Each structure stands twice: as structure tokens, then as C-alpha cells.
């Protein structure tokens, strides 16, 4: 790769005349070398298909695909080279006799060229022993492309013949997102820039989650490209993306190899421990008003000429809201509008007519007081065009401005980054800082609420006997159990650290929920013990002094503090009271709850023995 980079930077490629002769010889004598890289199905742990790749002759400066295609573009032979690549890969794959899918790279421009179109056809494929259903046409953007109408027609034709379609390098720019919206691909391949290092980058993590949610809504499968590290593979697996491709799962090989290594299978089949969603994001008070762009609206009878002039004067304007008597009724998107106006005689015939006929009526209208968390859910669950075209923001039903999918993703990402900074890495739940912030927020609002300090009893001896891995499974399971005990629209779950958790309830039935949690813990904990230990009700291990001691099975203790307005000045006093209540609960054998009311009343005791 270093040699290629030097050639690119210093332009040390041979003269054009030599390159022309070399490339002509490669094409005339069939000297292109096919390579196949596996694409792994993460759910099944099997090879779903292979991406076809090309290398030049090993003794040529055009061995590197970077140099090969660069030379072809300079010589005006790019389409001829692409046709030869398709032919080479299809023949080699047909000879393998495999039934998996072949992902075939084709540039958007090449779909209109007869050299390539004649190869991507059921007849020639079946003559070689392949069915169209085995081939995925992977659209690449080697050159800028603007004729989306023609491309959409070509994709419709491909799908009608039985081919599937993929978009390559999703995320490189706005054009790839628009391509997704326009052609409705079967697969989207996320650019390797967003995959490499995702295990340590919360921005990339949020980007992948957002794309996954959009893909689920549109029915597309997601392929994560460029996975080279196990840590990144684990993130991709835990996000439940569909497919993965990269050096970690398999390098390109001259012959397609449908085998999966034991190491990769282990990662696919490992139980997921880490939490994915940062659920306390839903409690932030950041609203859609932060996204308002005060874009002047137009009325439905504004002429098409006037809309065209406005887009011409403002190159960065993506959409124009259409408002009638203060109420939003539609919008006009720049790209849809320009594509429509590019048709023959559109300007002459319709230029003076009102724009109502060209506006989109399927719009997303949102009150500016909607939380960003709720807005992101609405956008993901609605028409995917709203991410690209934008949505309309209102106050008391009347138009106040536009919001864009780009700005929404940016704000949500920033919130996720802030949340991830304080998240517990094992459960994904918020740690001490967001717990304190939530308590102070409720105190400031003057609302009554209930705080529960949850702690696992006898956890250290369990770790000593069963090991840290099993201990992590118990903590992760406990976190999920506590999450299920709350109403995430009202309540809050935090992970102080180790085996300590915090519940903050605004739900009026907090005690009922706590008792139900204790019952669920008792019913579910048996999975983490050997049958012999269950029968004995515990196990023997060394205590802190080195002596053998019998330790009971794990149990859960909950210390409860009911907080009334004006009783506690800050989260510090609440934390102290909850800690004392937890200690009292742990004095009780088995799964237990201790309730302390900060008043003149005597504390109450509640117990559920194991």
C-alpha cells in the first residue's frame, strides 16, 4: 500500500503511451486476476456471499486496483475495464460452483453502457451456470453522478430481472444517502471509515445505530465493511447489523472460500454483555426548538418560476415549506424539484402555475416542544425521506421553521457522547454523574419521587467461586431486570458501579414495582448456579480471613427513600439516606426491602425471604 501511495502522491506512474500499451495487453490477453472476499451473516455465522475484487498482473505497475482504475480513467478506458472486470469475476465465480451471492461492483454510469449491460443480463449469466438471484449489483460512485431518474429506472429494470442491488461506501457524502432514498437498495454497505475504531468512538457508534434503524424501516440489509479488529466486530454484532466484511472475517482470495474460522464463529456466538442503548437520553429536556431554522415559507399558489428562482439564489437551501394561513401543508425539496423541472417542456408549460402540484404532502410536522429523543424516534419510524428532505416545526400548530435530519443526528450524537462519557461499560447504564444530575433536576422541579438503592448480597464469594465472567453476566442480567421494572417514560435506572444500582421512580406504584423485582430476581437467579449449589442453598469458599465459610445464594437488597418536596436540599443528602436504607435492607436475610421515610414517622420494614 505504501508504494501505491507514493505513486499517487508523486505521480511516478509511467507515461501515458506505456500505460496504454500495458492496459491494452492486460485486457486483450485476459490478465486480470479475480479475488473474492467473504461477506459473513452475523446471525447465522455463515458466509452469505462474496464481493468480487480485481487485481492486475503481479509483475505490472497496474497490479494495484488503485493504479489500474486510475490509469483506465486517464486513458478513457474505464468502461471497457469495468466490463472486463465483470466478465472475469462472473466466469471465475461460476466455475466455483458455489450457491452464495456474488457482489459485483458496477459504477452508476456503467449501467447505461452496453458493454456492461449486456453482461448483467439473465441470458449470459445462465449460460455460465448462474441465476440473477445469485448476483448483487453493488453501485459505486467512481465519478460524480447526477441523473438519478435514469439510475432509478435502471435499478427497477435490474430488480425485475431478479438481481438484488447494493449501495457501496454509505456515509461518504450526502449523495450516497440520496442514492439510498432514490433507488431503494436491498443492501447498504457502510463505509469502512465508520467501522474502524468504532469500539472506542461513541460518534461512530451512534452513526451506525442510526443507519441500522433507518435500514430496518426501509427493509434494507446492512453490511459493515472494513472490520479488522475483534473489538469492532463485537460492536457490529451487538448493534445487530446483518452482515460483516473485512480482514477479521476473511481476506480476499483467488478462489471463494465458504469457510468461517473458529475465532470468528466464537465472536458471532458469544453472549452479548454490554448495554447498547443509553436509555437515560430520554430524560433530557432538550427539545426540537434547538433545531429550528427560520426558513421563509411560500404559499401553495406561489408560481413554480418563483420557487425555481429561490432555489437558484440559495444553493444551500434544501427544502421550502409550503404554508397556508399559518398552517403547514407541504414542502418542496430541491433535488426532487430540479429533477422534475429537467424533464422536457416542464418550465415552458408549468412555470407560471402554482407550486401546489409539485409539493410533497406526506410531511412530518412536529411541535417544537417535542424532546429530541422522541423526535428521533418519530423520524426513524416515518418515511425515510424526512431525514433527507427535513421536517416542519410548529408552535401551537402554526409554522415556526424547518428542521433537518442532519442537525437532528448531530444533536442526538452530542447527547450520546455526553451520556457515553459517564456510562457503565458493562451495562450501558448511566453512572454517578447523570444519576446526580437527575436527582438535582427532580429536586429543582419540586416533584415527589422515590429513590431505591439496589445491591447484590454475597456477590464477592460468588465471583470467587464462579469467576468474573459469570459475575459479569449476573450484573448485566440484574441491570436488565431493573430496567424492566421501571417506566422509562417516567423513571430512571443508574449503575453506581460493581453490583450497586439506583432506581429513581416518579411512578406512583414504586413499592409494588420493587416487590415485583425481588420476586423476578428470586425466580431468575437459579440459571447462574450449579445444581449442587442450588440444592445446598449456597457454597463453601474462603472468607476474607482465609477460613472456609458457607455463603448463601445471591440475593437482592433494596433500600428505599421516599422524597417529598423541600426535605432534601441536594443529591448528596439523598445519596446518604439511600445508602443507610440499603445497609438496613442488607441486615435482613434473603431478598429484602427496607423503606425509610424522611419524616417523624418510624421507618418501616418489608421483607421477602429467599
Amino acid at each position: 500500500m505504501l508504494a501505491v501511495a507514493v505513486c499517487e502522491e508523486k505521480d511516478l506512474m509511467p507515461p501515458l503511451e506505456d500505460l496504454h500499451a500495458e492496459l491494452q495487453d492486460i485486457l486483450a490477453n485476459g490478465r486480470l486476476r479475480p479475488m473474492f472476499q467473504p461477506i459473513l451473516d452475523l446471525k447465522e455465522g455463515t458466509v452469505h456471499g462474496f464481493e468480487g475484487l480485481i487485481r492486475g498482473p503481479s509483475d505490472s505497475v497496474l497490479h494495484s486496483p488503485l493504479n489500474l482504475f486510475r490509469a483506465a480513467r486517464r486513458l478513457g478506458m474505464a468502461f471497457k475495464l469495468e466490463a472486463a472486470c465483470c466478465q472475469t469475476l462472473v466466469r471465475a465465480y461460476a466455475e466455483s460452483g458455489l450457491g452464495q451471492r456474488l457482489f459485483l461492483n458496477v459504477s452508476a454510469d456503467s449501467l447505461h453502457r452496453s458493454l456492461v449491460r449486456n453482461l448483467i443480463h439473465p441470458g449470459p449469466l445462465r449460460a455460465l451456470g448462474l441465476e440473477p438471484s445469485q448476483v448483487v449489483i453493488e453501485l459505486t460512485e467512481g465519478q460524480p453522478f447526477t441523473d438519478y431518474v435514469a439510475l432509478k429506472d435502471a435499478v427497477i429494470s435490474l430488480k425485475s430481472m431478479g438481481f438484488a442491488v447494493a449501495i457501496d461506501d454509505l456515509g461518504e457524502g450526502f449523495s450516497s444517502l440520496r442514492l439510498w432514498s432514490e433507488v431503494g437498495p436491498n443492501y447498504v454497505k457502510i463505509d469502512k471509515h465508520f467501522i474502524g475504531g468504532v469500539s472506542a468512538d461513541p460518534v461512530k457508534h451512534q452513526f451506525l445505530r442510526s443507519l441500522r434503524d433507518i435500514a430496518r424501516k426501509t427493509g434494507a440489509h446492512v453490511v459493515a465493511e472494513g472490520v479488522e479488529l475483534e473489538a469492532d466486530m463485537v460492536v457490529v454484532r451487538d448493534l445487530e447489523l446483518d452482515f460483516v466484511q473485512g480482514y477479521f472475517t476473511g481476506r480476499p482470495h483467488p478462489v471463494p472460500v465458504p469457510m468461517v474460522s473458529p475465532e470468528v464463529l466464537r465472536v458471532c456466538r458469544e453472549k452479548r454483555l454490554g448495554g447498547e442503548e443509553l436509555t437515560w437520553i430520554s430524560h433530557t429536556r432538550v427539545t426540537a426548538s434547538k433545531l429550528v431554522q427560520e426558513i421563509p415559507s411560500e404559499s401553495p399558489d406561489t408560481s413554480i418560476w418563483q420557487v425555481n428562482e429561490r432555489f437558484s439564489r440559495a444553493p444551500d437551501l434544501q427544502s421550502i415549506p409550503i404554508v397556508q394561513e399559518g398552517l403547514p401543508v407541504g414542502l418542496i425539496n430541491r433535488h426532487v424539484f430540479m429533477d422534475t423541472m429537467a424533464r422536457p417542456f416542464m418550465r415552458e408549460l408549468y412555470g407560471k402555475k402554482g407550486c401546489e402540484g409539485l409539493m410533497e404532502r406526506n410531511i412530518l410536522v412536529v411541535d417544537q416542544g417535542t424532546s429530541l429523543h422522541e423526535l428521533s424516534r418519530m423520524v426513524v419510524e416515518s418515511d425515510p425521506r424526512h431525514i433527507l428532505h427535513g421536517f416542519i416545526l410548529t408552535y401551537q400548530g402554526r409554522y415556526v421553521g424547518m428542521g433537518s435530519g442532519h442537525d437532528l443526528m448531530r444533536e442526538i450524537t452530542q447527547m450520546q457522547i455526553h451520556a457515553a462519557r459517564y456510562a457503565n461499560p458493562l451495562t450501558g447504564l448511566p453512572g454517578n454523574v447523570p444519576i446526580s444530575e437527575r436527582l438535582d433536576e427532580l429536586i429543582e422541579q419540586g416533584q415527589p419521587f422515590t429513590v431505591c438503592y439496589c445491591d447484590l448480597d454475597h456477590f464477592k464469594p460468588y465471583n470467587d467461586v464462579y469467576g468474573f465472567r459469570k459475575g459479569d453476566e449476573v450484573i448485566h442480567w440484574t441491570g436488565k431486570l431493573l430496567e424492566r421494572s421501571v417506566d422509562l417514560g417516567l423513571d430512571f435506572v443508574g449503575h453506581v458501579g460493581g453490583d450497586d444500582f439506583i432506581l429513581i421512580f416518579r411512578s406512583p406504584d414504586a413499592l409494588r414495582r420493587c416487590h415485583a423485582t425481588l420476586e423476578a430476581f428470586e425466580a431468575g437467579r437459579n440459571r447462574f448456579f450449579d445444581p449442587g449449589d442450588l440444592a445446598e442453598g449456597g457454597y463453601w469458599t474462603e472468607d476474607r480471613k482465609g477460613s472456609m465459610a458457607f455463603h448463601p445464594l445471591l440475593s437482592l437488597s433494596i433500600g428505599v427513600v421516599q422524597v417529598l418536596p423541600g426535605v432534601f436540599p441536594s443529591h448528596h443528602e439523598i445519596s446518604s439516606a439511600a445508602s443507610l436504607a440499603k445497609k438496613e435492607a442488607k441486615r435482613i436475610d434473603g431478598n429484602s426491602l427496607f423503606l425509610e421515610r424522611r419524616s417523624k414517622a418510624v421507618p418501616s420494614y418489608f421483607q421477602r425471604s429467599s
Side-chain angles (χ1 to χ4, degrees):
M1 293 300 293
L2 179 59
V4 173
V6 170
C7 286
E8 288 286 311
E9 187 172 326
K10 296 187 177 180
D11 202 18
L12 297 180
M13 296 283 282
L16 278 180
E17 309 85 63
D18 296 341
L19 282 176
H20 187 270
E22 178 74 8
L23 186 54
Q24 286 279 37
D25 178 66
I26 290 172
L27 296 178
N29 294 293
R31 298 175 63 202
L32 293 173
R33 297 175 55 217
M35 304 287 284
F36 300 93
Q37 186 172 31
I39 297 172
L40 182 69
D41 185 323
L42 276 168
K43 185 177 181 181
E44 301 296 331
T46 57
V47 174
H48 176 73
F50 299 86
E51 179 176 358
L53 306 170
I54 283 291
R55 302 289 184 269
S58 58
D59 58 351
S60 169
V61 69
L62 300 182
H63 170 71
S64 157
L66 191 63
N67 285 349
L68 182 65
F69 280 90
R70 182 189 179 211
R73 284 193 294 270
R74 291 177 63 186
L75 294 165
M77 300 173 64
F79 297 114
K80 190 173 183 180
L81 172 62
E82 195 168 338
C85 290
C86 289
Q87 188 174 44
T88 300
L89 288 165
V90 167
R91 285 180 176 175
Y93 192 73
E95 290 173 2
S96 73
L98 295 175
Q100 286 93 341
R101 291 166 177 78
L102 171 64
F103 284 69
L104 204 58
N105 287 284
V106 178
S107 67
D109 282 339
S110 290
L111 287 180
H112 307 295
R113 304 277 176 156
S114 59
L115 283 173
V116 175
R117 191 169 61 246
N118 290 340
L119 292 170
I120 307 172
H121 198 275
L125 284 175
R126 287 176 177 141
L128 294 170
L130 291 179
E131 288 295 322
S133 59
Q134 290 179 257
V135 179
V136 180
I137 306 303
E138 190 169 322
L139 296 175
T140 62
E141 290 188 272
Q143 298 293 326
F145 185 82
T146 56
D147 193 351
Y148 288 96
V149 174
L151 179 60
K152 189 173 182 178
D153 291 341
V155 168
I156 291 172
S157 176
L158 286 172
K159 288 183 176 181
S160 69
M161 290 187 285
F163 295 97
V165 175
I167 294 177
D168 194 21
D169 295 334
L170 184 74
E172 277 197 322
F174 180 82
S175 59
S176 60
L177 288 175
R178 186 185 176 194
L179 200 59
W180 187 352
S181 174
E182 294 286 351
V183 307
N186 306 94
Y187 301 83
V188 289
K189 301 186 75 174
I190 301 177
D191 184 61
K192 61 184 179 181
H193 166 78
F194 297 98
I195 304 298
V198 67
S199 59
D201 190 329
V203 176
K204 292 181 179 180
H205 194 276
Q206 168 62 16
F207 184 84
L208 293 189
R209 184 186 296 126
S210 299
L211 290 181
R212 177 206 63 189
D213 292 343
I214 298 170
R216 286 176 177 174
K217 178 66 178 177
T218 60
H221 297 295
V222 178
V223 183
E225 290 189 294
V227 174
E228 298 185 1
L229 302 174
E230 179 176 339
D232 294 338
M233 170 80 165
V234 169
V235 172
V236 169
R237 177 202 69 197
D238 290 353
L239 283 172
E240 298 180 346
L241 303 189
D242 303 296
F243 306 107
V244 64
Q245 177 182 355
Y247 284 175
F248 182 77
T249 55
R251 291 177 175 268
H253 196 273
V255 177
V257 180
M259 302 297 293
V260 181
S261 73
E263 180 184 18
V264 173
L265 278 177
R266 173 184 59 78
V267 176
C268 287
R269 293 170 179 173
E270 272 183 347
K271 290 183 179 179
R272 174 183 162 201
L273 291 181
E276 173 200 334
E277 302 294 341
L278 304 173
T279 53
W280 70 97
I281 287 294
S282 62
H283 298 289
T284 89
R285 289 180 287 178
V286 181
T287 66
S289 60
K290 192 169 184 179
L291 305 178
V292 172
Q293 300 176 30
E294 296 179 355
I295 298 175
S297 63
E298 300 291 348
S299 66
D301 57 2
T302 299
S303 73
I304 291 175
W305 273 118
Q306 289 174 292
V307 172
N308 186 72
E309 283 297 311
R310 189 165 166 195
F311 277 130
S312 299
R313 292 194 307 268
D316 295 331
L317 180 61
Q318 295 299 318
S319 295
I320 296 175
I322 307 301
V323 176
Q324 190 169 32
E325 297 180 355
L327 304 178
V329 293
L331 65 78
I332 296 180
N333 175 260
R334 167 187 290 275
H335 300 287
V336 175
F337 179 81
M338 293 302 182
D339 285 347
T340 303
M341 296 304 291
R343 295 173 184 171
F345 307 113
M346 278 297 296
R347 297 174 187 270
E348 293 81 2
L349 293 175
Y350 300 101
K352 295 182 180 180
K353 293 187 176 182
C355 65
E356 183 176 10
L358 294 184
M359 73 180 187
E360 295 182 32
R361 300 176 186 274
N362 178 23
I363 56 175
L364 179 61
V365 180
V366 183
D367 186 273
Q368 66 174 4
T370 304
S371 73
L372 290 189
H373 180 270
E374 175 64 14
L375 175 58
S376 68
R377 183 193 64 78
M378 293 169 63
V379 170
V380 167
E381 293 180 357
S382 64
D383 193 313
R385 286 180 300 177
H386 297 147
I387 295 176
L388 298 173
H389 299 178
F391 41 88
I392 292 178
L393 298 169
T394 61
Y395 175 68
Q396 296 182 347
R398 303 187 70 81
Y399 173 76
V400 295
M402 290 282 297
S404 72
H406 177 273
D407 288 346
L408 174 62
M409 289 182 66
R410 184 193 65 237
E411 291 298 330
I412 289 291
T413 297
Q414 290 302 318
M415 292 162 60
Q416 291 279 8
I417 292 171
H418 174 75
R421 187 176 295 123
Y422 303 109
N424 184 283
L426 179 58
T427 60
L429 293 171
N432 289 318
V433 171
I435 292 172
S436 300
E437 289 176 348
R438 181 60 176 159
L439 290 172
D440 285 339
E441 179 183 303
L442 290 174
I443 292 171
E444 181 183 342
Q445 294 172 1
Q447 299 185 24
F449 58 95
T450 301
V451 177
C452 304
Y453 196 142
C454 308
D455 187 17
L456 293 174
D457 305 316
H458 318 296
F459 182 73
K460 185 183 183 304
Y462 178 88
N463 244 358
D464 293 340
V465 172
Y466 285 90
F468 289 107
R469 179 73 179 180
K470 292 292 291 185
D472 285 350
E473 288 187 19
V474 170
I475 291 174
H476 182 259
W477 172 74
T478 302
K480 290 300 181 185
L481 185 69
L482 295 175
E483 281 190 281
R484 290 194 293 272
S485 73
V486 304
D487 179 348
L488 287 176
L490 294 172
D491 309 324
F492 181 96
V493 184
H495 189 173
V496 178
D499 56 322
D500 293 359
F501 296 85
I502 291 289
L503 303 178
I504 304 174
F505 285 104
R506 284 193 298 152
S507 296
D509 58 344
L511 291 180
R512 181 194 64 78
R513 291 173 181 268
C514 286
H515 285 308
T517 300
L518 292 175
E519 292 173 355
F521 184 91
E522 185 171 346
R525 67 180 175 180
N526 291 355
R527 75 185 71 177
F528 301 107
F529 297 96
D530 294 335
D533 292 338
L534 283 174
E536 293 292 329
Y539 34 81
W540 291 87
T541 186
E542 288 187 357
D543 60 18
R544 297 178 186 273
K545 297 180 180 179
S547 303
M548 294 300 293
F550 183 79
H551 296 278
L553 300 177
L554 290 169
S555 57
L556 181 65
S557 294
I558 304 178
V560 182
V561 177
Q562 292 182 326
V563 181
L564 297 176
V567 176
F568 295 93
S570 74
H571 69 267
H572 297 291
E573 289 76 16
I574 295 177
S575 297
S576 297
S579 295
L580 291 173
K582 185 255 300 187
K583 288 179 182 179
E584 293 297 327
K586 291 180 76 68
R587 295 177 186 271
I588 308 169
D589 292 334
N591 297 301
S592 58
L593 182 151
F594 173 86
L595 171 63
E596 189 262 345
R597 294 186 180 92
R598 181 56 63 94
S599 66
K600 295 181 180 180
V602 178
S604 303
Y605 294 83
F606 298 82
Q607 176 182 359
R608 290 189 178 273
S609 58
S610 59

